[in-house]
Amino acid sequence: MKTEYTPRPCDTSDVELPAELTPLIEDMARNVHEVWAQNRISEGWTYGPVRDDSLRYHPCLVPYDELPESEKQYDRATSQETLKLILKFGLQISKK
């Protein structure tokens, strides 16, 4: 029996990312896609123009630059929220 699931992500609406972290969002988004694609491929998925779970085809198994903008935006949002959460927890992000 399934129970209803209500997501409760940490509220990061009060966190403003410093401008110097803006380029990091795109770099992280690219890496998020690469990790996702690597995991899918290792599970036997291949590129297909239409997603087919039974055949393990996925249209997003392409390089990041070839993704539709909507998919890139999804990865950017994930990356941005991750950075905001790190800052919310009181940690700092700095270059070596």
Side-chain angles (χ1 to χ4, degrees), residues 41-84:
I41 291 168
S42 73
E43 295 169 347
W45 288 73
T46 58
Y47 171 80
V50 177
R51 182 176 174 158
D52 184 320
D53 290 356
S54 64
L55 296 174
R56 294 187 178 196
Y57 292 155
H58 204 294
C60 292
L61 282 173
V62 296
Y64 181 79
D65 291 335
E66 295 177 24
L67 286 174
E69 189 58 32
S70 61
E71 292 296 327
K72 289 180 184 178
Q73 190 54 40
Y74 180 86
D75 292 335
R76 288 181 193 122
T78 299
S79 300
Q80 181 174 333
E81 283 303 309
T82 299
L83 289 171
K84 289 171 74 174

